[in-house]
Amino acid sequence: MQQAAEGMPYLRETLLFLALAGILIPLLQRTRVNPILGFLGVGVVVGPFGLWLWVGHLPWLSNFTFMRVEGAAALGELGVLFLMFTIGLELSAERLWTLRRWVFGAGSAQVLLSAAVIGALAMVFGNTLEAALILGLVLSLSSTAVVMQLMTERHMLDTPTGMANFSILMLQDLAVVPILIFVGVLAKGDPGQLLPVLGLVLVKSVSAILLIYILGRRVIRPLFKAMARQHQPATFMALILLSTLGIAGLTAAAGLSMALGAFLAGLLLAETEFRHEVEVTIEPFKTLLLGLFFMSVGMQTDLRVVLDSPLWIPLSVLGLYAIKSAVLALVLRVAHFSWGRAAEGGLMMGQGGEFAFIVTGYAIANKLFSPELAQFVLLVVGLSMFATPMLSRGGHLLGDWWERTHQSAKTSLAAAAPESLHGHVIIVGFGRIGQLLAKILAAQGIRYVAIDSNMNLSTPRHPLGEPVYYGDVSRPELLHRVHASQAGAIVLTMDHAQAALHAAYAIRREFSEVPLFARARDEHHARELKQAGANLVTPEALETGLQLSAFVLQSLGVASETVAMAIRDERDARIASILQKK
């Protein structure tokens, strides 16, 4: 092991992390503990400020603890890149436009007001102007990972409070980019020349971003289009890594952060038909790498500082939570939420965010933060994350109690927020039948989402604005991305009989209540689809034969009413036969 460790730095730490993750992730899922908080806690316990402090007395603990944080931190940065990449995937131009009033209105108000209050307090407590500005901006951001996890667990994403919080999180995610640029300006410039330097950096940054974005649009989609035809998951994953790390490298070469490049890579793919397939492909790796990042954050947290400041750190955690919760509650109240729901939304997002850890490290490296201030910020943000599940649960109970006692009317977000995907039709397969169905649905004003694994069918449609995506529906995770649980119906129109059968089984395992309709090649295939769980199956050969029979009868002079009755009776008999042989 010693020789291997010399050949591969941080091998012991990597193996220990993988062992912990292999045990920890399933355990957290079973106990319903938030994974982010679990990784933070484990990082504290097994880090150099945790059990390692006892290695002198118990040498065997060295096999289960981390002495060096550097290896975990270096790998953890990949988790941050994938987090930014995922945020870019979520922030498609269409989604931003639909939520624009909440994203740029409520979101901007929350960030600016919180930053102003926190920054002013930081100045009062003796911090420099630069440190106070950074603290105000960074601590105004909440934890996307923690809040989204909580809202998903509680099925809040389609509620007014959930949509409002999601919109504000999107603005906060967008704000990360200018904050990183701003910190870079503070690190390089004289405070007296702040505005000119900031203007120059912004011009260079915007130019670099636009150039990368324009070039990326010309490269990313054609590259994925060319490689996806091979239907090789390994190739698809390699392309995702190449896009993320390649564009991150370009932004780093332009003097910007790699996190910004990962965000741009996600934004580029969000506008393509590969978006949902990409999300499904990276999901397990993102969880693992993010876990490594949060574990490394926990390792850098020295709880002995809490013992040295038993009053100020708890008060700071409560103060941060109180300020942010109060500001967001007021913003939501101004937007006509009831006081109960406004408090619920505020208490869910009162914690500090994961980007505080990134910016804090950057601020130390550039002498903007002292090590003591950085450790203080890490502790306050980390402890606020630990407090979130309990406080947000209290906020939910408070919101319910307020609604019961005050019988509040529905908030205005229900009218102002975008239509979430609900009652839509998911078309699986976008050949001639799928396209015909989509045309009829669109003519009736019914929303649909189409998914097809054939590049020649999915690729030409997406640039025209049609909701047609590339992907394999036998992976139910993909259907979760298009809100299949809330769909009015799922329709299988694929040509390939076995693919339709696999899709039907996969859909029924995950979405047993959603109506499932299918096109079958013949009656035998129809019976198989019925056994797989389809509610209604239409054999293609049957309908073609019935239609042809009708034309023949009419040409022989048989009355239209007689023809219609004969065709109907035969169709009913055949369908009954399929049902009986299910």
Side-chain angles (χ1 to χ4, degrees), residues 524-536:
H524 174 70
H525 185 215
R527 281 191 287 273
E528 290 182 323
L529 286 169
K530 287 294 294 183
Q531 290 173 352
N535 297 90
L536 180 65

Side-chain angles (χ1 to χ4, degrees), residues 29 48 69 109 141 196 254 269 327 386 402 406 460 513 564 570:
Q29 289 174 340
V69 182
L141 307 183
L269 279 170
V327 167
F386 276 111
W402 185 277
H406 293 79
E513 301 300 323
E570 184 61 24

Side-chain angles (χ1 to χ4, degrees), residues 497-566:
Q498 204 60 31
L501 195 59
H502 285 318
Y505 277 116
I507 290 166
R508 271 295 167 254
R509 279 196 301 268
E510 296 288 325
F511 311 102
S512 58
E513 301 300 323
V514 179
L516 177 61
F517 305 104
R519 158 214 182 184
R521 303 209 34 115
D522 50 40
E523 293 181 39
H524 174 70
H525 185 215
R527 281 191 287 273
E528 290 182 323
L529 286 169
K530 287 294 294 183
Q531 290 173 352
N535 297 90
L536 180 65
V537 181
T538 302
E540 187 178 73
L542 172 62
E543 290 302 320
T544 302
L546 290 175
Q547 190 175 42
L548 184 60
S549 299
F551 289 144
V552 171
L553 290 173
Q554 287 172 354
S555 69
L556 295 174
V558 179
S560 298
E561 295 80 2
T562 304
V563 171
M565 185 179 298

Side-chain angles (χ1 to χ4, degrees), residues 77 79-88 134 137-139 141-145 169 172-177 179-180 183 257 259-260 262-263 290 293-294 297 352-363 369 377-378 381 385:
E77 290 178 6
V80 178
L81 294 184
F82 273 90
L83 176 63
M84 290 298 291
F85 177 77
T86 307
I87 290 168
I134 295 171
L137 289 170
V138 168
L139 294 179
L141 307 183
S142 303
S143 172
T144 300
L169 284 173
Q172 292 182 0
D173 294 335
L174 284 174
V176 169
V177 175
I179 288 174
L180 288 172
V183 174
S257 72
L260 172 59
F263 174 81
L290 273 178
F293 169 70
F294 282 107
V297 169
E354 48 270 5
F355 289 105
F357 302 122
I358 303 169
V359 176
T360 298
Y362 190 35
F369 279 5
V377 171
L378 288 176
V381 172
M385 286 183 174

Side-chain angles (χ1 to χ4, degrees), residues 13-320:
E13 288 84 351
T14 302
L15 292 175
L16 179 56
F17 166 73
L18 291 174
L20 286 170
I23 299 170
L24 186 62
I25 292 176
L27 182 62
L28 293 176
Q29 289 174 340
R30 178 172 295 183
T31 56
R32 298 181 180 275
V33 174
N34 186 289
I36 303 303
L37 302 183
F39 279 115
L40 279 170
V42 170
V44 172
V45 172
V46 302
F49 304 114
L51 292 178
W52 181 262
L53 297 174
W54 297 85
V55 167
H57 302 286
L58 301 169
W60 58 270
L61 283 176
S62 62
N63 297 314
F64 306 101
T65 53
F66 291 82
M67 177 184 66
R68 298 177 295 179
V69 182
E70 294 82 3
L75 288 173
E77 290 178 6
L78 286 175
V80 178
L81 294 184
F82 273 90
L83 176 63
M84 290 298 291
F85 177 77
T86 307
I87 290 168
L89 281 176
E90 292 288 341
L91 292 176
S92 65
E94 178 185 358
R95 196 166 198 179
L96 276 175
W97 179 252
T98 307
L99 284 165
R100 60 191 180 280
R101 293 182 180 177
W102 283 93
V103 173
F104 299 106
S108 298
Q110 183 274 324
V111 169
L112 293 175
L113 289 173
S114 298
V117 175
I118 296 169
L121 283 174
M123 288 284 290
V124 169
F125 281 93
N127 290 285
T128 64
L129 175 62
E130 293 86 350
L133 288 172
I134 295 171
L135 285 172
L137 289 170
V138 168
L139 294 179
S140 69
L141 307 183
S142 303
S143 172
T144 300
V146 172
V147 174
M148 289 300 293
Q149 179 76 18
L150 286 174
M151 290 201 297
T152 301
E153 289 174 356
R154 297 175 187 174
H155 307 288
M156 288 182 61
L157 288 172
D158 291 317
T159 66
T161 306
M163 285 190 285
N165 282 356
F166 176 75
S167 301
I168 293 168
L169 284 173
M170 281 205 291
L171 187 281
Q172 292 182 0
D173 294 335
L174 284 174
V176 169
V177 175
I179 288 174
L180 288 172
I181 294 172
F182 181 68
V183 174
V185 171
L186 289 178
K188 296 177 183 177
D190 181 354
Q193 299 295 319
L194 180 61
L195 289 179
V197 172
L198 181 59
L200 180 61
V201 171
L202 282 176
V203 169
K204 290 181 178 178
S205 301
V206 170
S207 300
I209 291 169
L210 287 176
L211 181 61
I212 292 171
Y213 189 78
I214 292 170
L215 292 177
R217 292 194 68 175
R218 294 181 177 275
V219 174
I220 292 288
R221 186 170 174 271
L223 186 61
F224 272 78
K225 178 182 174 182
M227 296 300 178
R229 288 193 178 97
Q230 301 179 20
H231 298 283
Q232 294 290 333
T235 303
F236 205 79
M237 187 64 200
L239 279 177
I240 296 170
L241 287 170
L242 176 62
S243 302
T244 306
L245 299 180
I247 296 178
L250 288 176
T251 54
L256 303 171
S257 72
M258 293 184 69
L260 172 59
F263 174 81
L264 287 176
L267 203 60
L268 286 167
L269 279 170
E271 304 297 335
T272 72
E273 61 270 33
F274 305 102
R275 170 186 170 184
H276 297 300
E277 185 74 6
V278 169
E279 287 176 329
V280 170
T281 302
I282 70 168
E283 187 65 32
F285 303 97
K286 184 192 72 173
T287 302
L288 189 66
L289 291 170
L290 273 178
L292 183 54
F293 169 70
F294 282 107
M295 191 179 288
S296 70
V297 169
M299 292 177 202
Q300 299 172 58
T301 304
D302 189 352
L303 292 180
R304 292 175 299 178
V305 178
V306 179
L307 300 177
D308 294 336
S309 304
L311 180 64
W312 281 112
I313 288 180
L315 285 178
S316 298
V317 173
L318 292 175
L320 173 66

